[in-house]
Amino acid sequence: MRKCNLFRGALLIILCLAVALVFGCGKKPVMKEEMGVIVKEPVQEKAETAVPSETAIQEERLKEKERQEKERVIQEAASFTDIYFEFDQYDLTAAARETLKQHADWLLANPGFDVLVEGHCDERGTAEYNLALGERRAGAARDYLLSLGMEAGRVTTISYGEELPLDPSHDEAAWAKNRRAHFVVTPSK
């Protein structure tokens, strides 16, 4: 009987020690000596696995939808087509007016964007003459956009004259490509 009580007592002590080790030691801060100073390190608790809430899922979907919309708008803005001019002219053709109407419609529907109109020329003529002609071409395009309802502060112009040819060849086909107004759409400032 005495052996049985001793065995139960020993078993009870071992069980109490095990419980104390499991529950008592897990949350005590770790003591560490650094440069002669004892430092307490915080105890790291187990991270609970977070399940995304319905609100978080909806917010993530909204962000993805906004990202896709922004990408679509940027692709549309990059697809603005050039308009072309006859030799030594800055008058808008019927095709140029139709293209400018499409650009104006897009810009009016997307007020967060501005446009820079670049005037370009072919290589014939002096550099000074071509800069002036490029400015008149860009100005003609700008004026037409303004007549379609664009705000003046959203449309700027620059002339590159003959300096940035689209086609560097020296023939009529290349010159026809280089007599143009090019459009650069940027987010409004």
Side-chain angles (χ1 to χ4, degrees):
M1 179 93 158
R2 185 177 162 131
K3 283 185 180 181
C4 187
N5 284 340
L6 283 176
F7 180 72
R8 283 186 188 168
L11 186 61
L12 185 60
I13 291 173
I14 292 173
L15 185 60
C16 288
L17 286 174
V19 169
L21 284 173
V22 170
F23 291 106
C25 294
K27 296 188 181 191
K28 288 184 182 175
V30 177
M31 302 300 273
K32 182 175 167 184
E33 185 174 340
E34 291 183 8
M35 298 172 46
V37 177
I38 297 177
V39 178
K40 283 185 179 181
E41 290 184 350
V43 176
Q44 294 183 2
E45 299 289 331
K46 291 182 182 179
E48 301 221 2
T49 306
V51 177
S53 68
E54 186 64 32
T55 304
I57 293 170
Q58 288 176 350
E59 287 175 2
E60 192 61 36
R61 287 179 183 157
L62 183 60
K63 286 179 185 177
E64 177 62 20
K65 190 174 183 177
E66 288 172 355
R67 186 195 62 76
Q68 289 175 350
E69 177 64 16
K70 185 176 181 180
E71 187 176 301
R72 181 192 65 77
V73 168
I74 290 170
Q75 287 176 347
E76 286 179 359
S79 68
F80 272 38
T81 56
D82 293 348
I83 60 171
Y84 297 93
F85 297 89
E86 297 297 322
F87 174 70
D88 200 29
Q89 299 293 311
Y90 60 93
D91 297 329
L92 298 173
T93 64
R97 289 177 190 274
E98 181 57 36
T99 299
L100 288 169
K101 173 80 170 91
Q102 292 170 4
H103 295 347
D105 290 344
W106 189 91
L107 288 162
L108 290 170
N110 294 279
F113 291 88
D114 297 337
V115 66
L116 169 66
V117 184
E118 300 176 348
H120 297 272
C121 301
D122 62 35
E123 64 187 16
R124 297 174 290 181
T126 66
E128 295 82 16
Y129 181 82
N130 284 336
L131 280 172
L133 181 57
E135 186 59 38
R136 287 192 296 272
R137 288 175 174 169
R142 179 200 61 230
D143 292 346
Y144 193 70
L145 288 171
L146 296 179
S147 76
L148 296 172
M150 284 295 302
E151 297 171 22
R154 293 181 58 202
V155 184
T156 55
T157 62
I158 190 169
S159 174
Y160 289 110
E162 62 192 68
E163 298 303 314
L164 298 174
L166 188 62
D167 186 335
S169 302
H170 306 285
D171 57 27
E172 186 55 48
W175 295 331
K177 291 177 192 172
N178 294 333
R179 297 188 302 259
R180 70 193 193 286
H182 180 73
F183 304 90
V184 179
V185 179
T186 58
S188 299
K189 293 178 183 174

